[in-house]
Amino acid sequence: MKKHYCLIIICFSFLFLQCSSLYYHPTKQTYFTPKQMGFSYTSEMIQTKDNVKINVWKIKNQKVETPKAVILQFHGNGQNMSSHFLSLVWLVNHGYELIVFDYRGYGESEGEPDPDDNIEDSKLVLDLALKEANDQGVKLIVYGQSLGGAIAMRSLAEWEGKQNVVLLCIDGSFASYRKVAKQTMNHVIFPPIGNLFAWLFHDATSPKDSIPSLAPIPMLVIHGTDDTVVFFENGKEIFGLAGEPKVFWEIRGGGHVDWMGLGQSKFAKDFLLLLNRHLY
């Protein structure tokens, strides 16, 4: 019995050390460009402190001289920004500028995905987004989806310019890497293995201890009740940890980060109204 137990530990340890597959699923493929979807954009590389280049897109509405605000998107763990930008790009049609970027190892960004590097790189992108907003005399909104929500919350908590963010939207995300790993493994295998596997993941870069310090940034937490990727209770946990002001949107029957419907859903219209309240 002990021999089998040790074998299980070794196998899962090897899996964890060889790939952080529950964290990152990057691809290099370009799925869509904003130009293909009818939007104007610029692409630029920013250089990190250790000389890794991170790819950033600025997507604008050419019919609008000054955007209503700049929205910085932190995308999820799969594919890259060339697929994820589609979920928020509809906001450009409503007069917003959208900035998206790829973590290390995603798309055209150099390097390999790493939790600590993601936080440091994200603070540089936040600096870029704030400069873009300031140059145009508008406000900055941060939107984090799934894994991107966890990265956004932790990065913002450590960022010197966080007082300049007028709204933080956290969609289908989680507070603890270890907890979400445990939930995922218990869901796909069975609880004893999931509980064991979770201890191979650390919470050193999780946002859970940092979430209270994000106040007084207004926070909108969004989560689908039928989310089978990041379970609904994770959204409730984030909301419980957050300080005021905060709002929770429970998307009845919603899955994982799928409530927007490319701007056609009822919630999308409510979201536009909420944005306007925080800008004027």
PDB file of all heavy atoms in Angstrom, residues 34 37-41 57-64 66-71 73 85-100 272 275:
ATOM      1  N   PRO A  34      -7.521  41.961 -34.866  1.00  0.00           N
ATOM      2  CA  PRO A  34      -8.594  42.965 -34.846  1.00  0.00           C
ATOM      3  C   PRO A  34      -8.950  43.457 -36.255  1.00  0.00           C
ATOM      4  O   PRO A  34     -10.124  43.720 -36.536  1.00  0.00           O
ATOM      5  CB  PRO A  34      -7.990  44.078 -33.984  1.00  0.00           C
ATOM      6  CG  PRO A  34      -7.061  43.367 -33.062  1.00  0.00           C
ATOM      7  CD  PRO A  34      -6.446  42.280 -33.896  1.00  0.00           C
ATOM      8  N   MET A  37     -11.501  41.494 -37.937  1.00  0.00           N
ATOM      9  CA  MET A  37     -12.831  41.689 -37.352  1.00  0.00           C
ATOM     10  C   MET A  37     -13.344  43.102 -37.576  1.00  0.00           C
ATOM     11  O   MET A  37     -14.385  43.480 -37.031  1.00  0.00           O
ATOM     12  CB  MET A  37     -12.784  41.385 -35.850  1.00  0.00           C
ATOM     13  CG  MET A  37     -12.206  40.015 -35.502  1.00  0.00           C
ATOM     14  SD  MET A  37     -13.014  38.646 -36.365  1.00  0.00           S
ATOM     15  CE  MET A  37     -14.653  38.719 -35.653  1.00  0.00           C
ATOM     16  N   GLY A  38     -12.609  43.894 -38.367  1.00  0.00           N
ATOM     17  CA  GLY A  38     -13.072  45.237 -38.716  1.00  0.00           C
ATOM     18  C   GLY A  38     -12.643  46.338 -37.770  1.00  0.00           C
ATOM     19  O   GLY A  38     -13.216  47.428 -37.798  1.00  0.00           O
ATOM     20  N   PHE A  39     -11.614  46.081 -36.957  1.00  0.00           N
ATOM     21  CA  PHE A  39     -11.155  47.070 -35.984  1.00  0.00           C
ATOM     22  C   PHE A  39      -9.740  47.531 -36.314  1.00  0.00           C
ATOM     23  O   PHE A  39      -8.922  46.772 -36.839  1.00  0.00           O
ATOM     24  CB  PHE A  39     -11.173  46.486 -34.569  1.00  0.00           C
ATOM     25  CG  PHE A  39     -12.544  46.113 -34.075  1.00  0.00           C
ATOM     26  CD1 PHE A  39     -13.010  44.814 -34.200  1.00  0.00           C
ATOM     27  CD2 PHE A  39     -13.368  47.066 -33.500  1.00  0.00           C
ATOM     28  CE1 PHE A  39     -14.271  44.463 -33.749  1.00  0.00           C
ATOM     29  CE2 PHE A  39     -14.634  46.730 -33.048  1.00  0.00           C
ATOM     30  CZ  PHE A  39     -15.089  45.422 -33.168  1.00  0.00           C
ATOM     31  N   SER A  40      -9.451  48.768 -35.974  1.00  0.00           N
ATOM     32  CA  SER A  40      -8.120  49.311 -36.133  1.00  0.00           C
ATOM     33  C   SER A  40      -7.296  49.014 -34.886  1.00  0.00           C
ATOM     34  O   SER A  40      -7.808  49.080 -33.768  1.00  0.00           O
ATOM     35  CB  SER A  40      -8.199  50.827 -36.351  1.00  0.00           C
ATOM     36  OG  SER A  40      -6.915  51.397 -36.404  1.00  0.00           O
ATOM     37  N   TYR A  41      -6.024  48.675 -35.071  1.00  0.00           N
ATOM     38  CA  TYR A  41      -5.192  48.381 -33.907  1.00  0.00           C
ATOM     39  C   TYR A  41      -3.726  48.606 -34.207  1.00  0.00           C
ATOM     40  O   TYR A  41      -3.310  48.661 -35.359  1.00  0.00           O
ATOM     41  CB  TYR A  41      -5.419  46.944 -33.437  1.00  0.00           C
ATOM     42  CG  TYR A  41      -4.672  45.875 -34.213  1.00  0.00           C
ATOM     43  CD1 TYR A  41      -3.623  45.169 -33.637  1.00  0.00           C
ATOM     44  CD2 TYR A  41      -5.021  45.554 -35.528  1.00  0.00           C
ATOM     45  CE1 TYR A  41      -2.941  44.176 -34.341  1.00  0.00           C
ATOM     46  CE2 TYR A  41      -4.357  44.567 -36.234  1.00  0.00           C
ATOM     47  CZ  TYR A  41      -3.309  43.883 -35.638  1.00  0.00           C
ATOM     48  OH  TYR A  41      -2.638  42.908 -36.343  1.00  0.00           O
ATOM     49  N   TRP A  57      -1.571  44.628 -27.821  1.00  0.00           N
ATOM     50  CA  TRP A  57      -2.409  45.239 -28.850  1.00  0.00           C
ATOM     51  C   TRP A  57      -3.228  46.377 -28.247  1.00  0.00           C
ATOM     52  O   TRP A  57      -3.798  46.226 -27.162  1.00  0.00           O
ATOM     53  CB  TRP A  57      -3.398  44.228 -29.439  1.00  0.00           C
ATOM     54  CG  TRP A  57      -2.805  43.200 -30.346  1.00  0.00           C
ATOM     55  CD1 TRP A  57      -1.538  43.152 -30.851  1.00  0.00           C
ATOM     56  CD2 TRP A  57      -3.484  42.058 -30.877  1.00  0.00           C
ATOM     57  NE1 TRP A  57      -1.380  42.049 -31.655  1.00  0.00           N
ATOM     58  CE2 TRP A  57      -2.552  41.361 -31.691  1.00  0.00           C
ATOM     59  CE3 TRP A  57      -4.774  41.553 -30.746  1.00  0.00           C
ATOM     60  CZ2 TRP A  57      -2.891  40.187 -32.360  1.00  0.00           C
ATOM     61  CZ3 TRP A  57      -5.112  40.384 -31.407  1.00  0.00           C
ATOM     62  CH2 TRP A  57      -4.177  39.710 -32.213  1.00  0.00           C
ATOM     63  N   LYS A  58      -3.306  47.481 -28.983  1.00  0.00           N
ATOM     64  CA  LYS A  58      -4.212  48.581 -28.647  1.00  0.00           C
ATOM     65  C   LYS A  58      -5.268  48.646 -29.741  1.00  0.00           C
ATOM     66  O   LYS A  58      -4.957  48.904 -30.907  1.00  0.00           O
ATOM     67  CB  LYS A  58      -3.457  49.908 -28.569  1.00  0.00           C
ATOM     68  CG  LYS A  58      -2.404  49.966 -27.470  1.00  0.00           C
ATOM     69  CD  LYS A  58      -1.657  51.308 -27.530  1.00  0.00           C
ATOM     70  CE  LYS A  58      -0.564  51.386 -26.478  1.00  0.00           C
ATOM     71  NZ  LYS A  58       0.206  52.656 -26.579  1.00  0.00           N
ATOM     72  N   ILE A  59      -6.510  48.390 -29.369  1.00  0.00           N
ATOM     73  CA  ILE A  59      -7.604  48.303 -30.344  1.00  0.00           C
ATOM     74  C   ILE A  59      -8.514  49.524 -30.159  1.00  0.00           C
ATOM     75  O   ILE A  59      -9.036  49.762 -29.070  1.00  0.00           O
ATOM     76  CB  ILE A  59      -8.405  47.005 -30.148  1.00  0.00           C
ATOM     77  CG1 ILE A  59      -7.454  45.797 -30.129  1.00  0.00           C
ATOM     78  CG2 ILE A  59      -9.442  46.842 -31.260  1.00  0.00           C
ATOM     79  CD1 ILE A  59      -8.128  44.490 -29.759  1.00  0.00           C
ATOM     80  N   LYS A  60      -8.708  50.279 -31.255  1.00  0.00           N
ATOM     81  CA  LYS A  60      -9.410  51.562 -31.154  1.00  0.00           C
ATOM     82  C   LYS A  60     -10.542  51.666 -32.165  1.00  0.00           C
ATOM     83  O   LYS A  60     -10.574  50.971 -33.173  1.00  0.00           O
ATOM     84  CB  LYS A  60      -8.425  52.713 -31.371  1.00  0.00           C
ATOM     85  CG  LYS A  60      -7.255  52.725 -30.396  1.00  0.00           C
ATOM     86  CD  LYS A  60      -6.331  53.901 -30.650  1.00  0.00           C
ATOM     87  CE  LYS A  60      -5.162  53.906 -29.667  1.00  0.00           C
ATOM     88  NZ  LYS A  60      -4.280  55.087 -29.868  1.00  0.00           N
ATOM     89  N   ASN A  61     -11.444  52.573 -31.862  1.00  0.00           N
ATOM     90  CA  ASN A  61     -12.524  52.927 -32.770  1.00  0.00           C
ATOM     91  C   ASN A  61     -12.110  54.189 -33.516  1.00  0.00           C
ATOM     92  O   ASN A  61     -12.025  55.274 -32.924  1.00  0.00           O
ATOM     93  CB  ASN A  61     -13.816  53.167 -31.981  1.00  0.00           C
ATOM     94  CG  ASN A  61     -15.025  53.367 -32.874  1.00  0.00           C
ATOM     95  OD1 ASN A  61     -14.904  53.848 -34.007  1.00  0.00           O
ATOM     96  ND2 ASN A  61     -16.196  53.009 -32.368  1.00  0.00           N
ATOM     97  N   GLN A  62     -11.837  54.059 -34.791  1.00  0.00           N
ATOM     98  CA  GLN A  62     -11.339  55.196 -35.569  1.00  0.00           C
ATOM     99  C   GLN A  62     -12.380  56.293 -35.752  1.00  0.00           C
ATOM    100  O   GLN A  62     -12.033  57.427 -36.105  1.00  0.00           O
ATOM    101  CB  GLN A  62     -10.857  54.706 -36.940  1.00  0.00           C
ATOM    102  CG  GLN A  62      -9.582  53.886 -36.874  1.00  0.00           C
ATOM    103  CD  GLN A  62      -8.419  54.673 -36.295  1.00  0.00           C
ATOM    104  OE1 GLN A  62      -8.022  55.715 -36.818  1.00  0.00           O
ATOM    105  NE2 GLN A  62      -7.867  54.176 -35.197  1.00  0.00           N
ATOM    106  N   LYS A  63     -13.634  55.980 -35.496  1.00  0.00           N
ATOM    107  CA  LYS A  63     -14.689  56.982 -35.624  1.00  0.00           C
ATOM    108  C   LYS A  63     -14.800  57.846 -34.369  1.00  0.00           C
ATOM    109  O   LYS A  63     -15.543  58.839 -34.363  1.00  0.00           O
ATOM    110  CB  LYS A  63     -16.031  56.300 -35.896  1.00  0.00           C
ATOM    111  CG  LYS A  63     -16.069  55.535 -37.218  1.00  0.00           C
ATOM    112  CD  LYS A  63     -17.422  54.869 -37.417  1.00  0.00           C
ATOM    113  CE  LYS A  63     -17.457  54.079 -38.724  1.00  0.00           C
ATOM    114  NZ  LYS A  63     -18.764  53.395 -38.929  1.00  0.00           N
ATOM    115  N   VAL A  64     -14.075  57.464 -33.327  1.00  0.00           N
ATOM    116  CA  VAL A  64     -14.142  58.193 -32.050  1.00  0.00           C
ATOM    117  C   VAL A  64     -12.791  58.853 -31.805  1.00  0.00           C
ATOM    118  O   VAL A  64     -11.760  58.177 -31.718  1.00  0.00           O
ATOM    119  CB  VAL A  64     -14.480  57.230 -30.891  1.00  0.00           C
ATOM    120  CG1 VAL A  64     -14.459  57.966 -29.557  1.00  0.00           C
ATOM    121  CG2 VAL A  64     -15.836  56.578 -31.125  1.00  0.00           C
ATOM    122  N   THR A  66     -11.770  60.599 -29.089  1.00  0.00           N
ATOM    123  CA  THR A  66     -11.315  60.301 -27.733  1.00  0.00           C
ATOM    124  C   THR A  66     -12.182  59.187 -27.164  1.00  0.00           C
ATOM    125  O   THR A  66     -13.410  59.321 -27.121  1.00  0.00           O
ATOM    126  CB  THR A  66     -11.411  61.533 -26.821  1.00  0.00           C
ATOM    127  OG1 THR A  66     -10.629  62.595 -27.386  1.00  0.00           O
ATOM    128  CG2 THR A  66     -10.893  61.216 -25.421  1.00  0.00           C
ATOM    129  N   PRO A  67     -11.594  58.083 -26.714  1.00  0.00           N
ATOM    130  CA  PRO A  67     -12.408  56.983 -26.169  1.00  0.00           C
ATOM    131  C   PRO A  67     -13.063  57.374 -24.846  1.00  0.00           C
ATOM    132  O   PRO A  67     -12.625  58.311 -24.169  1.00  0.00           O
ATOM    133  CB  PRO A  67     -11.382  55.863 -25.965  1.00  0.00           C
ATOM    134  CG  PRO A  67     -10.087  56.574 -25.751  1.00  0.00           C
ATOM    135  CD  PRO A  67     -10.147  57.795 -26.641  1.00  0.00           C
ATOM    136  N   LYS A  68     -14.107  56.657 -24.500  1.00  0.00           N
ATOM    137  CA  LYS A  68     -14.762  56.883 -23.208  1.00  0.00           C
ATOM    138  C   LYS A  68     -13.845  56.482 -22.053  1.00  0.00           C
ATOM    139  O   LYS A  68     -13.874  57.085 -20.987  1.00  0.00           O
ATOM    140  CB  LYS A  68     -16.061  56.077 -23.132  1.00  0.00           C
ATOM    141  CG  LYS A  68     -17.136  56.528 -24.100  1.00  0.00           C
ATOM    142  CD  LYS A  68     -18.376  55.656 -23.955  1.00  0.00           C
ATOM    143  CE  LYS A  68     -19.463  56.091 -24.931  1.00  0.00           C
ATOM    144  NZ  LYS A  68     -20.665  55.221 -24.822  1.00  0.00           N
ATOM    145  N   ALA A  69     -13.066  55.440 -22.263  1.00  0.00           N
ATOM    146  CA  ALA A  69     -12.117  54.946 -21.265  1.00  0.00           C
ATOM    147  C   ALA A  69     -11.212  53.932 -21.943  1.00  0.00           C
ATOM    148  O   ALA A  69     -11.492  53.466 -23.055  1.00  0.00           O
ATOM    149  CB  ALA A  69     -12.839  54.297 -20.081  1.00  0.00           C
ATOM    150  N   VAL A  70     -10.116  53.593 -21.284  1.00  0.00           N
ATOM    151  CA  VAL A  70      -9.244  52.512 -21.715  1.00  0.00           C
ATOM    152  C   VAL A  70      -9.540  51.285 -20.855  1.00  0.00           C
ATOM    153  O   VAL A  70      -9.577  51.387 -19.619  1.00  0.00           O
ATOM    154  CB  VAL A  70      -7.754  52.900 -21.583  1.00  0.00           C
ATOM    155  CG1 VAL A  70      -6.860  51.685 -21.813  1.00  0.00           C
ATOM    156  CG2 VAL A  70      -7.406  54.011 -22.574  1.00  0.00           C
ATOM    157  N   ILE A  71      -9.770  50.155 -21.496  1.00  0.00           N
ATOM    158  CA  ILE A  71     -10.032  48.898 -20.786  1.00  0.00           C
ATOM    159  C   ILE A  71      -8.853  47.963 -21.033  1.00  0.00           C
ATOM    160  O   ILE A  71      -8.532  47.657 -22.183  1.00  0.00           O
ATOM    161  CB  ILE A  71     -11.341  48.242 -21.261  1.00  0.00           C
ATOM    162  CG1 ILE A  71     -12.531  49.178 -21.017  1.00  0.00           C
ATOM    163  CG2 ILE A  71     -11.555  46.898 -20.550  1.00  0.00           C
ATOM    164  CD1 ILE A  71     -13.848  48.656 -21.562  1.00  0.00           C
ATOM    165  N   GLN A  73      -7.456  44.256 -20.674  1.00  0.00           N
ATOM    166  CA  GLN A  73      -7.927  42.879 -20.516  1.00  0.00           C
ATOM    167  C   GLN A  73      -6.799  41.939 -20.107  1.00  0.00           C
ATOM    168  O   GLN A  73      -5.748  41.900 -20.737  1.00  0.00           O
ATOM    169  CB  GLN A  73      -8.541  42.377 -21.828  1.00  0.00           C
ATOM    170  CG  GLN A  73      -9.042  40.942 -21.770  1.00  0.00           C
ATOM    171  CD  GLN A  73      -9.509  40.423 -23.135  1.00  0.00           C
ATOM    172  OE1 GLN A  73      -9.100  40.936 -24.179  1.00  0.00           O
ATOM    173  NE2 GLN A  73     -10.375  39.428 -23.129  1.00  0.00           N
ATOM    174  N   PHE A  85      -9.457  38.281 -27.212  1.00  0.00           N
ATOM    175  CA  PHE A  85      -9.907  39.667 -27.370  1.00  0.00           C
ATOM    176  C   PHE A  85     -11.323  39.750 -27.907  1.00  0.00           C
ATOM    177  O   PHE A  85     -12.028  40.751 -27.717  1.00  0.00           O
ATOM    178  CB  PHE A  85      -8.934  40.447 -28.280  1.00  0.00           C
ATOM    179  CG  PHE A  85      -9.184  40.305 -29.758  1.00  0.00           C
ATOM    180  CD1 PHE A  85      -9.939  41.244 -30.445  1.00  0.00           C
ATOM    181  CD2 PHE A  85      -8.661  39.231 -30.470  1.00  0.00           C
ATOM    182  CE1 PHE A  85     -10.169  41.123 -31.807  1.00  0.00           C
ATOM    183  CE2 PHE A  85      -8.877  39.097 -31.830  1.00  0.00           C
ATOM    184  CZ  PHE A  85      -9.638  40.051 -32.513  1.00  0.00           C
ATOM    185  N   LEU A  86     -11.776  38.680 -28.570  1.00  0.00           N
ATOM    186  CA  LEU A  86     -13.123  38.671 -29.141  1.00  0.00           C
ATOM    187  C   LEU A  86     -14.206  38.853 -28.086  1.00  0.00           C
ATOM    188  O   LEU A  86     -15.281  39.382 -28.371  1.00  0.00           O
ATOM    189  CB  LEU A  86     -13.360  37.361 -29.902  1.00  0.00           C
ATOM    190  CG  LEU A  86     -12.472  37.110 -31.126  1.00  0.00           C
ATOM    191  CD1 LEU A  86     -12.713  35.714 -31.674  1.00  0.00           C
ATOM    192  CD2 LEU A  86     -12.725  38.156 -32.194  1.00  0.00           C
ATOM    193  N   SER A  87     -13.933  38.433 -26.851  1.00  0.00           N
ATOM    194  CA  SER A  87     -14.967  38.514 -25.817  1.00  0.00           C
ATOM    195  C   SER A  87     -15.244  39.943 -25.375  1.00  0.00           C
ATOM    196  O   SER A  87     -16.336  40.241 -24.865  1.00  0.00           O
ATOM    197  CB  SER A  87     -14.574  37.656 -24.608  1.00  0.00           C
ATOM    198  OG  SER A  87     -13.415  38.165 -23.973  1.00  0.00           O
ATOM    199  N   LEU A  88     -14.282  40.845 -25.548  1.00  0.00           N
ATOM    200  CA  LEU A  88     -14.463  42.227 -25.105  1.00  0.00           C
ATOM    201  C   LEU A  88     -14.404  43.256 -26.229  1.00  0.00           C
ATOM    202  O   LEU A  88     -14.723  44.424 -26.003  1.00  0.00           O
ATOM    203  CB  LEU A  88     -13.398  42.590 -24.059  1.00  0.00           C
ATOM    204  CG  LEU A  88     -13.454  41.894 -22.706  1.00  0.00           C
ATOM    205  CD1 LEU A  88     -12.374  42.437 -21.784  1.00  0.00           C
ATOM    206  CD2 LEU A  88     -14.815  42.063 -22.046  1.00  0.00           C
ATOM    207  N   VAL A  89     -14.027  42.852 -27.431  1.00  0.00           N
ATOM    208  CA  VAL A  89     -13.805  43.831 -28.486  1.00  0.00           C
ATOM    209  C   VAL A  89     -15.095  44.550 -28.888  1.00  0.00           C
ATOM    210  O   VAL A  89     -15.049  45.664 -29.446  1.00  0.00           O
ATOM    211  CB  VAL A  89     -13.126  43.164 -29.704  1.00  0.00           C
ATOM    212  CG1 VAL A  89     -14.125  42.305 -30.493  1.00  0.00           C
ATOM    213  CG2 VAL A  89     -12.457  44.205 -30.588  1.00  0.00           C
ATOM    214  N   TRP A  90     -16.252  43.980 -28.607  1.00  0.00           N
ATOM    215  CA  TRP A  90     -17.516  44.653 -28.904  1.00  0.00           C
ATOM    216  C   TRP A  90     -17.624  45.998 -28.197  1.00  0.00           C
ATOM    217  O   TRP A  90     -18.343  46.899 -28.650  1.00  0.00           O
ATOM    218  CB  TRP A  90     -18.704  43.762 -28.541  1.00  0.00           C
ATOM    219  CG  TRP A  90     -18.778  43.360 -27.098  1.00  0.00           C
ATOM    220  CD1 TRP A  90     -18.141  42.313 -26.510  1.00  0.00           C
ATOM    221  CD2 TRP A  90     -19.533  43.998 -26.061  1.00  0.00           C
ATOM    222  NE1 TRP A  90     -18.447  42.252 -25.167  1.00  0.00           N
ATOM    223  CE2 TRP A  90     -19.297  43.274 -24.868  1.00  0.00           C
ATOM    224  CE3 TRP A  90     -20.380  45.100 -26.029  1.00  0.00           C
ATOM    225  CZ2 TRP A  90     -19.886  43.619 -23.650  1.00  0.00           C
ATOM    226  CZ3 TRP A  90     -20.971  45.459 -24.821  1.00  0.00           C
ATOM    227  CH2 TRP A  90     -20.713  44.727 -23.644  1.00  0.00           C
ATOM    228  N   LEU A  91     -16.883  46.149 -27.099  1.00  0.00           N
ATOM    229  CA  LEU A  91     -16.907  47.417 -26.371  1.00  0.00           C
ATOM    230  C   LEU A  91     -16.274  48.549 -27.171  1.00  0.00           C
ATOM    231  O   LEU A  91     -16.582  49.724 -26.936  1.00  0.00           O
ATOM    232  CB  LEU A  91     -16.186  47.256 -25.027  1.00  0.00           C
ATOM    233  CG  LEU A  91     -16.915  46.386 -23.998  1.00  0.00           C
ATOM    234  CD1 LEU A  91     -15.977  46.013 -22.855  1.00  0.00           C
ATOM    235  CD2 LEU A  91     -18.141  47.111 -23.468  1.00  0.00           C
ATOM    236  N   VAL A  92     -15.404  48.208 -28.127  1.00  0.00           N
ATOM    237  CA  VAL A  92     -14.788  49.233 -28.977  1.00  0.00           C
ATOM    238  C   VAL A  92     -15.861  49.913 -29.820  1.00  0.00           C
ATOM    239  O   VAL A  92     -15.798  51.120 -30.085  1.00  0.00           O
ATOM    240  CB  VAL A  92     -13.680  48.613 -29.855  1.00  0.00           C
ATOM    241  CG1 VAL A  92     -13.082  49.650 -30.804  1.00  0.00           C
ATOM    242  CG2 VAL A  92     -12.580  48.020 -28.975  1.00  0.00           C
ATOM    243  N   ASN A  93     -16.860  49.149 -30.235  1.00  0.00           N
ATOM    244  CA  ASN A  93     -17.973  49.735 -30.994  1.00  0.00           C
ATOM    245  C   ASN A  93     -18.782  50.719 -30.170  1.00  0.00           C
ATOM    246  O   ASN A  93     -19.526  51.544 -30.720  1.00  0.00           O
ATOM    247  CB  ASN A  93     -18.906  48.640 -31.523  1.00  0.00           C
ATOM    248  CG  ASN A  93     -18.304  47.870 -32.679  1.00  0.00           C
ATOM    249  OD1 ASN A  93     -17.528  48.423 -33.468  1.00  0.00           O
ATOM    250  ND2 ASN A  93     -18.641  46.595 -32.791  1.00  0.00           N
ATOM    251  N   HIS A  94     -18.654  50.639 -28.859  1.00  0.00           N
ATOM    252  CA  HIS A  94     -19.362  51.554 -27.962  1.00  0.00           C
ATOM    253  C   HIS A  94     -18.460  52.683 -27.466  1.00  0.00           C
ATOM    254  O   HIS A  94     -18.791  53.364 -26.489  1.00  0.00           O
ATOM    255  CB  HIS A  94     -19.936  50.776 -26.784  1.00  0.00           C
ATOM    256  CG  HIS A  94     -21.054  49.853 -27.160  1.00  0.00           C
ATOM    257  ND1 HIS A  94     -22.376  50.258 -27.236  1.00  0.00           N
ATOM    258  CD2 HIS A  94     -21.042  48.544 -27.527  1.00  0.00           C
ATOM    259  CE1 HIS A  94     -23.127  49.236 -27.604  1.00  0.00           C
ATOM    260  NE2 HIS A  94     -22.344  48.186 -27.792  1.00  0.00           N
ATOM    261  N   GLY A  95     -17.318  52.861 -28.129  1.00  0.00           N
ATOM    262  CA  GLY A  95     -16.493  54.028 -27.848  1.00  0.00           C
ATOM    263  C   GLY A  95     -15.341  53.821 -26.887  1.00  0.00           C
ATOM    264  O   GLY A  95     -14.687  54.794 -26.483  1.00  0.00           O
ATOM    265  N   TYR A  96     -15.036  52.569 -26.541  1.00  0.00           N
ATOM    266  CA  TYR A  96     -13.935  52.292 -25.625  1.00  0.00           C
ATOM    267  C   TYR A  96     -12.698  51.852 -26.398  1.00  0.00           C
ATOM    268  O   TYR A  96     -12.800  51.312 -27.493  1.00  0.00           O
ATOM    269  CB  TYR A  96     -14.329  51.199 -24.626  1.00  0.00           C
ATOM    270  CG  TYR A  96     -15.429  51.639 -23.682  1.00  0.00           C
ATOM    271  CD1 TYR A  96     -16.774  51.460 -24.015  1.00  0.00           C
ATOM    272  CD2 TYR A  96     -15.126  52.254 -22.475  1.00  0.00           C
ATOM    273  CE1 TYR A  96     -17.780  51.885 -23.172  1.00  0.00           C
ATOM    274  CE2 TYR A  96     -16.133  52.672 -21.619  1.00  0.00           C
ATOM    275  CZ  TYR A  96     -17.457  52.491 -21.971  1.00  0.00           C
ATOM    276  OH  TYR A  96     -18.454  52.919 -21.129  1.00  0.00           O
ATOM    277  N   GLU A  97     -11.536  52.071 -25.793  1.00  0.00           N
ATOM    278  CA  GLU A  97     -10.298  51.508 -26.322  1.00  0.00           C
ATOM    279  C   GLU A  97      -9.967  50.253 -25.521  1.00  0.00           C
ATOM    280  O   GLU A  97     -10.049  50.271 -24.284  1.00  0.00           O
ATOM    281  CB  GLU A  97      -9.137  52.497 -26.207  1.00  0.00           C
ATOM    282  CG  GLU A  97      -7.809  51.914 -26.693  1.00  0.00           C
ATOM    283  CD  GLU A  97      -6.648  52.889 -26.602  1.00  0.00           C
ATOM    284  OE1 GLU A  97      -6.897  54.112 -26.534  1.00  0.00           O
ATOM    285  OE2 GLU A  97      -5.495  52.421 -26.613  1.00  0.00           O
ATOM    286  N   LEU A  98      -9.609  49.192 -26.214  1.00  0.00           N
ATOM    287  CA  LEU A  98      -9.286  47.925 -25.560  1.00  0.00           C
ATOM    288  C   LEU A  98      -7.806  47.626 -25.725  1.00  0.00           C
ATOM    289  O   LEU A  98      -7.281  47.621 -26.841  1.00  0.00           O
ATOM    290  CB  LEU A  98     -10.115  46.793 -26.167  1.00  0.00           C
ATOM    291  CG  LEU A  98      -9.862  45.385 -25.606  1.00  0.00           C
ATOM    292  CD1 LEU A  98     -10.264  45.291 -24.140  1.00  0.00           C
ATOM    293  CD2 LEU A  98     -10.609  44.338 -26.425  1.00  0.00           C
ATOM    294  N   ILE A  99      -7.121  47.378 -24.606  1.00  0.00           N
ATOM    295  CA  ILE A  99      -5.735  46.946 -24.634  1.00  0.00           C
ATOM    296  C   ILE A  99      -5.670  45.503 -24.162  1.00  0.00           C
ATOM    297  O   ILE A  99      -6.226  45.158 -23.112  1.00  0.00           O
ATOM    298  CB  ILE A  99      -4.840  47.832 -23.737  1.00  0.00           C
ATOM    299  CG1 ILE A  99      -4.815  49.278 -24.265  1.00  0.00           C
ATOM    300  CG2 ILE A  99      -3.422  47.271 -23.675  1.00  0.00           C
ATOM    301  CD1 ILE A  99      -3.961  50.221 -23.442  1.00  0.00           C
ATOM    302  N   VAL A 100      -5.042  44.641 -24.941  1.00  0.00           N
ATOM    303  CA  VAL A 100      -4.877  43.231 -24.585  1.00  0.00           C
ATOM    304  C   VAL A 100      -3.396  42.873 -24.707  1.00  0.00           C
ATOM    305  O   VAL A 100      -2.656  43.511 -25.471  1.00  0.00           O
ATOM    306  CB  VAL A 100      -5.732  42.300 -25.470  1.00  0.00           C
ATOM    307  CG1 VAL A 100      -7.205  42.589 -25.289  1.00  0.00           C
ATOM    308  CG2 VAL A 100      -5.355  42.424 -26.939  1.00  0.00           C
ATOM    309  N   LEU A 272     -22.790  47.994 -19.875  1.00  0.00           N
ATOM    310  CA  LEU A 272     -22.539  49.317 -20.442  1.00  0.00           C
ATOM    311  C   LEU A 272     -23.067  50.413 -19.523  1.00  0.00           C
ATOM    312  O   LEU A 272     -22.415  51.449 -19.334  1.00  0.00           O
ATOM    313  CB  LEU A 272     -23.181  49.429 -21.826  1.00  0.00           C
ATOM    314  CG  LEU A 272     -22.522  48.620 -22.946  1.00  0.00           C
ATOM    315  CD1 LEU A 272     -23.380  48.658 -24.197  1.00  0.00           C
ATOM    316  CD2 LEU A 272     -21.124  49.143 -23.243  1.00  0.00           C
ATOM    317  N   LEU A 275     -20.642  50.732 -16.639  1.00  0.00           N
ATOM    318  CA  LEU A 275     -19.439  51.441 -17.023  1.00  0.00           C
ATOM    319  C   LEU A 275     -19.670  52.939 -17.014  1.00  0.00           C
ATOM    320  O   LEU A 275     -18.848  53.716 -16.509  1.00  0.00           O
ATOM    321  CB  LEU A 275     -18.984  51.011 -18.419  1.00  0.00           C
ATOM    322  CG  LEU A 275     -18.430  49.589 -18.582  1.00  0.00           C
ATOM    323  CD1 LEU A 275     -17.988  49.374 -20.026  1.00  0.00           C
ATOM    324  CD2 LEU A 275     -17.274  49.328 -17.648  1.00  0.00           C
TER     325      LEU A 275
END
